[in-house]
């Protein structure tokens, strides 16, 4: 447990906020588009619990810090202050409002590093805490969002609020030359990444609203795009295939989930007209798919802006793109990819178009390079076009 040098003086609180912010940033790729947030509970000047928002849909930092203070064994009557890098939420989202949890635990003072930048919520959390009789201190600039969560500020930009579209995470596996399909002789011509990488992807799938792919991938790989083991999620992500002319076969594995996987509903997005009638649409509906019509674009594929708007209207906010090079490059070139997770295996060569030149030419922000099993992993937020 760390101890503040001066009891609750402003520089010590500022230093604690900066430390919490830096630690919260470690989870940026797991929480985006949500903000990175860190919190601590103090008994006098002693930090007795710390917590972070660790993954999208997971508990908020305040709730984690309160649980960590519980685990410390320090009696509740000694807890007095909660320090948090961002104004606590006051509305019900995927989790209950944090203001309620703070008040319910008898916290007497809340020190906050940044106001909520969302104008619909800004100041409301602090107001609620004050109304409940808590002392509230705002130490702006101690944990600025432009340093801790630049991605969150982009998510709330006026243009994005005005024309909303979900947050898209493009994940792909590639060979050393950036190709998404390995040579025939490796991984049955299908698998590029190792077991540990595949386990990470299962976890990522369990933390998105929807998985998006193209019909090219369905025809080439017949993927399941499900969560395995199924216990990883209570609500499996929906699955969406861009399939202009409804080429998905009714016997595709996507449409026939097994007992050992959690698989969400499947929607095939076809060009308006192809969806409405015909034996193909009827057979796919019979196999359990929803077929929905979307406006086409100049090259007869589907209009990506319209696809993303339709996804937003479904209430989906975090999308995992698991497609081949055609759909990936369409979305990357249009500036619709917000986050990247690229696994590179030490496999030479490969087949099909390479995304290596796109990666090389792009400016990537907050880049993180790491290793999982035998694969190299690159995570980043592509700079807006
Ligand atoms: N390594 C990996 O991570 C990974 C992941 C997935 C796939 N793959 C590999 O990728 C290969 C398949 O690649 P692919 O490029 O053909 O498949 P894809 O990108 O998954 O699908 C492309 C198809 O999507 C449809 N589409 C509809 N609207 C589109 C739009 N606006 N922009 C682009 N596409 C649109 C088009 O077909 P319609 O016009 O018929 O609708 C297009 O041909 C396979 O070999 C597979 O193994 C690798």
């Amino acid at each position: 447990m760390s101890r503040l040098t001066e009891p609750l003086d402003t520089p010590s609180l500022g230093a604690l906020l900066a430390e919490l912010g830096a630690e919260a940033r470690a989870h940026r790729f797991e929480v985006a588009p949500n903000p990175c947030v860190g919190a601590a509970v103090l008994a006098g000047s002693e930090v007795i619990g710390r917590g972070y928002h660790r993954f999208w849909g997971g508990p908020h930092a305040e709730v984690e810090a309160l649980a960590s203070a519980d685990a410390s064994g320090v009696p509740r009557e000694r807890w007095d202050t909660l320090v948090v890098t961002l104004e606590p939420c006051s509305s019900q989202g995927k989790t209950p409002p944090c203001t309620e949890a703070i008040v319910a635990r008898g916290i007497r003072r809340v020190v906050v590093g940044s106001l909520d930048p969302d104008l619909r919520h800004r100041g409301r959390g602090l107001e609620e805490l004050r109304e409940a009789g808590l002392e509230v201190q705002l130490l702006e600039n101690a944990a600025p969002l432009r340093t801790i969560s630049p991605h969150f500020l982009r998510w709330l930009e006026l243009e994005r609020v005005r024309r909303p579209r979900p947050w898209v995470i493009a994940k792909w596996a590639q060979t050393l030359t950036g190709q998404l399909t390995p040579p025939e002789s490796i991984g049955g011509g299908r698998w590029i990444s190792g077991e540990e990488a595949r386990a990470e992807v299962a976890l990522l799938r369990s933390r998105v609203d929807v998985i998006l792919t193209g019909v090219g991938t369905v025809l080439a790989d017949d993927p399941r795009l499900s969560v395995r083991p199924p216990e990883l999620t209570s609500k499996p992500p929906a699955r969406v295939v861009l399939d202009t002319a409804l080429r998905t076969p009714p016997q595709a594995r996507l449409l026939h989930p097994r007992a050992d996987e959690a698989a969400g509903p499947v929607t095939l997005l076809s060009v308006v007209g192809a969806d409405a009638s015909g034996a193909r649409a009827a057979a796919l509906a019979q196999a359990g798919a929803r077929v929905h019509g979307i406006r086409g674009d100049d090259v007869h594929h589907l209009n990506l802006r319209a696809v993303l708007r339709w996804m937003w209207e479904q209430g989906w906010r975090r999308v995992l793109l698991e497609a081949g090079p055609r759909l990936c490059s369409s979305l990357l070139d249009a500036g619709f990819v917000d986050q990247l997770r690229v696994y590179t295996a030490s496999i030479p060569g490969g087949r099909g178009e390479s995304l290596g030149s796109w990666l090389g030419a792009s400016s990537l922000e907050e880049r993180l390079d790491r290793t999982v099993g035998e694969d190299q992993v690159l995570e980043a937020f592509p700079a807006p076009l």
Side-chain angles (χ1 to χ4, degrees):
M1 295 283 168
S2 58
R3 200 169 264 284
L4 296 173
T5 46
E6 295 291 327
L8 300 190
D9 68 352
T10 304
S12 304
L13 287 172
L16 177 59
L17 276 166
E19 197 178 305
L20 290 168
E23 286 161 359
R25 269 182 56 70
H27 307 287
R28 61 193 179 278
F29 298 114
E30 263 58 61
V31 301
N34 281 354
C36 304
V37 185
V41 175
L42 274 60
S45 60
E46 188 187 3
V47 176
I48 57 162
R50 289 176 188 241
Y52 305 92
H53 184 37
R54 287 175 192 275
F55 60 93
W56 188 79
H60 287 185
E62 298 88 324
V63 172
E64 290 276 286
L66 290 164
S68 155
D70 266 332
S72 73
V74 175
R76 197 71 78 78
E77 52 289 358
R78 285 193 47 220
W79 309 8
D80 46 16
T81 305
L82 182 124
V83 178
V84 57
T85 57
L86 180 65
E87 175 176 7
C89 67
S90 56
S91 54
Q92 176 82 37
K94 278 189 181 279
T95 55
C98 287
T99 46
E100 277 179 16
I102 296 167
V103 172
R105 298 299 188 91
I107 296 287
R108 291 188 283 276
R109 171 171 47 183
V110 176
V111 180
V112 173
S114 280
L115 282 174
D116 191 331
D118 187 335
L119 297 176
R120 295 162 295 190
H121 303 289
R122 193 177 178 84
R124 271 180 40 197
L126 300 195
E127 202 44 52
E128 271 192 24
L129 292 169
R130 283 196 187 99
E131 277 168 13
L134 279 72
E135 182 190 327
V136 174
Q137 192 178 345
L138 177 62
L139 278 187
E140 261 183 324
N141 291 324
L145 277 168
R146 64 177 181 282
T147 313
I148 298 174
S149 291
H151 70 264
F152 184 55
L153 294 177
R154 280 209 289 281
W155 174 242
L156 293 176
E157 272 168 11
L158 197 59
E159 165 60 11
R160 186 121 191 192
V161 172
R162 208 169 56 79
R163 293 177 87 192
R165 58 185 161 84
W167 187 263
V168 175
I169 305 167
K171 169 255 131 186
W172 70 81
Q174 62 178 26
T175 65
L176 287 172
T177 42
Q179 279 149 312
L180 276 64
T181 310
E184 294 278 8
S185 54
I186 293 179
R190 247 181 100 200
W191 297 114
I192 292 181
S193 40
E195 220 171 283
E196 292 91 340
R198 297 215 289 270
E200 269 195 7
V201 172
L203 198 60
L204 180 58
R205 284 182 183 167
S206 74
R207 294 173 178 171
V208 296
D209 288 321
V210 57
I211 299 170
L212 173 64
T213 194
V215 68
T217 296
V218 173
L219 296 176
D221 293 351
D222 197 8
R224 298 188 167 278
L225 301 178
S226 59
V227 178
R228 281 159 283 168
E231 298 74 35
L232 282 178
T233 179
S234 55
K235 188 168 184 276
R239 295 163 298 161
V240 170
V241 183
L242 300 198
D243 185 3
T244 316
L246 289 185
R247 292 189 287 146
T248 297
Q251 63 276 19
R253 286 191 197 143
L254 278 176
L255 296 168
H256 303 281
R258 297 185 312 217
D260 66 346
E261 63 184 0
V266 175
T267 303
L268 305 176
L269 294 182
S270 68
V271 73
V272 176
D275 60 312
S277 58
R280 200 165 262 282
L284 287 162
Q286 176 77 27
R290 171 164 67 143
V291 178
H292 182 78
I294 288 280
R295 186 152 59 84
D297 73 7
D298 298 344
V299 282
H300 311 299
H301 293 301
L302 302 177
N303 181 290
L304 293 175
R305 166 74 72 181
V307 167
L308 293 173
R309 191 175 46 240
W310 174 81
M311 288 182 139
W312 180 273
E313 286 163 6
Q314 308 310 299
W316 296 330
R317 298 294 177 262
R318 199 175 199 238
V319 177
L320 178 60
L321 172 66
E322 293 198 65
R326 276 188 211 139
L327 182 53
C328 282
S329 42
S330 287
L331 282 156
L332 288 164
D333 292 345
F336 289 150
V337 172
D338 300 292
Q339 183 175 331
L340 293 178
R341 168 129 23 129
V342 180
Y343 293 93
T344 306
S346 39
I347 296 175
R351 290 170 290 152
E353 195 189 322
S354 163
L355 291 181
S357 53
W358 187 91
L359 270 182
S362 306
S363 140
L364 305 178
E365 296 182 350
E366 303 187 60
R367 177 174 178 147
L368 172 75
D369 289 281
R370 59 185 177 83
T371 304
V372 58
E374 307 206 322
D375 295 298
Q376 296 300 315
V377 192
L378 179 162
E379 298 200 77
F381 301 116
L385 293 183

